[in-house]
Amino acid sequence: MNPHPTENAVTARGVEKTFGEGSTRALALRGADISIPFGGLTLLAGPSGCGKTTLLSIIAGLLDRTAGMLDVLGRDPQAMRPADAVSFRRSNLGFVFQQYNLLPSLTAVENASIPLVAAGMKRRTAEERAAALLERLGLASRLGAHPRQLSGGQQQRVAIARALVHEPKLVLCDEPTAALDAESGHAVMELLASLGAASDRAVVVVTHDHRIFDFADRIIRMEDGRVTSVEDGEGEEEAAV
């Protein structure tokens, strides 16, 4: 039986986001409509400034929308009380930030284990699980390194491990391969695609990286704050969302 009330992990209708007021007012999203199903990897693609990261942040509950409807895993993030929103994100979402956001005083394995420790798992068990994931991402020799001892690409992989270690239902990634070479990027996308293949999960990736388009089940293209097209993994345009 499907554990979710709909086939979509995310549904957005007419989502708008305005920054600033008066003469500084800027409309970042202009009525974005998207549907992201369970059981797939969806790319949000488009030129810089088109609203991709803003939309991703609204889905994650990190930004409030100005107008429109949003359903994320059966909930409206903006309608939750702050404590409930934090609990919901901790249990159900994994977010890969473009700037890594690792804690400098913690090692790679400690950073990656944070979601499990926060959920109450014993530290040793959490770090064992985090270590296994970091090894899968090619960081077996860097488990005890601190962020300042890691390259940008290595820090990105630690951030990805942190987002995935608690097996969230919805994984949201902002340019996860931007700092990675082709081999590392391929390994990361294989992992994300394998997670997205699960019938009760969805993975959303904001990207400019055309190298990873072949991993997508769907590509949602955006321009000027709106969705302009939706394609399947073969490049065929789907019906409007």
Side-chain angles (χ1 to χ4, degrees), residues 27-224:
L27 192 56
L29 292 175
R30 303 168 181 267
D33 295 335
I34 63 168
S35 298
I36 297 172
F38 288 102
L41 189 155
T42 298
L43 298 185
L44 290 180
S48 296
C50 72
K52 305 184 302 297
T53 295
T54 298
L55 181 56
L56 197 75
S57 297
I58 289 172
I59 293 170
L62 303 177
L63 280 178
D64 286 342
R65 64 191 184 275
T66 305
M69 181 279 289
L70 178 65
D71 181 290
V72 179
L73 302 177
R75 303 286 300 274
D76 178 351
Q78 203 161 316
M80 298 183 204
R81 296 181 301 177
D84 292 338
V86 170
S87 178
F88 177 79
R89 287 197 299 269
R90 180 182 296 162
S91 299
N92 296 288
L93 272 60
F95 198 100
V96 179
F97 297 92
Q98 195 169 5
Q99 300 303 320
Y100 319 141
N101 289 358
L102 302 179
L103 296 179
S105 63
L106 300 184
T107 64
V109 73
E110 289 168 342
N111 265 289
S113 67
I114 286 173
L116 298 178
V117 173
M121 183 178 288
K122 290 183 178 179
R123 184 175 299 275
R124 181 175 178 178
T125 304
E127 291 184 2
E128 287 175 351
R129 184 176 295 184
L133 186 51
L134 288 168
E135 289 169 6
R136 187 173 175 184
L137 289 168
L139 293 174
S141 65
R142 307 299 286 156
L143 301 181
H146 289 81
R148 67 181 179 277
Q149 299 169 313
L150 300 172
S151 69
Q154 290 171 335
Q155 290 183 57
Q156 180 69 303
R157 281 178 279 169
V158 174
I160 290 167
R162 181 185 57 194
L164 303 182
V165 72
H166 59 302
E167 300 181 343
K169 298 298 183 187
L170 179 61
V171 179
L172 305 170
C173 307
D174 191 5
E175 300 281 1
T177 61
L180 303 180
D181 58 33
E183 182 178 355
S184 298
H186 193 274
V188 164
M189 291 309 300
E190 281 189 332
L191 178 59
L192 291 174
S194 69
L195 288 172
S199 62
D200 61 345
R201 288 202 183 96
V203 177
V204 185
V205 175
V206 163
T207 189
H208 290 97
D209 189 351
H210 288 266
R211 298 175 302 174
I212 70 173
F213 278 27
D214 287 345
F215 288 94
D217 296 295
R218 304 168 80 242
I219 301 173
I220 297 176
R221 297 187 185 273
M222 296 184 65
E223 189 168 344
D224 196 26

